[in-house]
Amino acid sequence: GNTKEDAAGGADTAEDKKKKKEEGNGKVWIVGLNGNRRSGRRLVSRKGERDVRGQVYFPLPQPPRYQEQNLDVIIVSGVSTSQAQDGVIIDDQTHGVMGYWASFYVQAGNRHAETFYGIPSYIIQETVELARKRMEKGPQNSVVRALGVELEKVSLARAQELGVKPEFMKKAIDHARESRIWPPSLFAVRRRWGGSSARKLLRDGDVLMCLEGEPVQSFRTAEKLVMDSKKESVRATVCRDSKQMDVDVKTLQLKSSGTDGEVIFFSGASLQKPPFAVSHQYGISNDEGVYVGNIQKGSPAERYRLAPTSRIVEVDSVQTPTLETFMGCVKSKQNGTSMRLKVVTLKGHERMITMKLDTLYWPTERVRGVNGQWVREVLQ
């Protein structure tokens, strides 16, 4: 018969017991190798408690480089994130592999370091499956699309301040109870990518409530709703200024190349379209100037202080939003000619510099990808 606890609704049902068994008891082991080649490696294990739906944010790297975003991570309390140990995360009860204990690059000022969090195994499995499709069936069968925003979790209290309706917050609470992810949270736009439809249609701080009518409950949920729609645009339901609205946002097809297949070497500076990281982290699109990736020692670029990570937006008062327009301005310049460049930093600060060309020792060259190989061509 039923106990008093059963009658009061406090006892777990058979379905609850099965779910608890599948999820484990929250205790996990991190098992992997520690040490280095010089001192030797050894197998070590550490025990802690997991938080499957954690989130981490890192300071923007300088210069801009790839950085993880919109990623559900496994945060393990009781285990230091600064200990140099890789490996796998094992559930204490089920002995199943929950994820990979991975190293994340962190830059704070001039300091470079690494910190460790867990990447859930389902993310790795889906990534491997996409790579397999690409090898077996070609790139057209492994297209990856994104909304074009970086999201952040917001608490229900913060969501209420932003004007989210109570009935939607109740849905978030119900979902958190069903999935055993506590506390419940919603997701807001933290940063928009340059050149994206989201950059124009959404705002930083918009609470993203639904995609294609489905609630956004995790970073992975948002990613899958965009991927599974298989459409070039998705309907996003957002809360802005205490008002709910639907916006059709065109998605972006992600590319594997960060240089877009072409680099120009000009006066000792390597020039290209603003790379992926600049677009994501600073909201700069491909048509907002020519990006200075690097400069060589002793070159005119160094002598006249053309700084890396800046963008050339004008040459002799002519706008240069792309590499093509920039080359159109400089191709007729002769050796020894002086030219005025307007450059803009990542923070939007503008300045003018005068540069004297030295095409004898620093010729203008183009390096581009052709049929899977890099080809160099002298232009000037």
Side-chain angles (χ1 to χ4, degrees), residues 41-56:
R41 292 185 176 273
R42 60 192 180 95
L43 185 65
V44 296
S45 61
R46 295 184 174 89
K47 192 175 184 179
E49 293 190 16
R50 64 172 171 81
D51 172 14
V52 180
R53 290 290 194 272
Q55 68 169 345
V56 292

Side-chain angles (χ1 to χ4, degrees), residues 146-165:
L147 187 61
V149 298
E150 180 180 352
L151 299 174
E152 63 178 345
K153 285 186 176 181
V154 293
S155 66
L156 294 189
R158 177 58 180 155
Q160 187 175 20
E161 293 176 358
L162 294 172
V164 177
K165 295 181 179 179

Side-chain angles (χ1 to χ4, degrees), residues 209-223:
M209 299 189 293
C210 294
L211 286 173
E212 293 294 309
E214 296 292 330
V216 176
Q217 307 290 359
S218 67
F219 294 114
R220 188 57 182 154
T221 301
E223 187 176 72

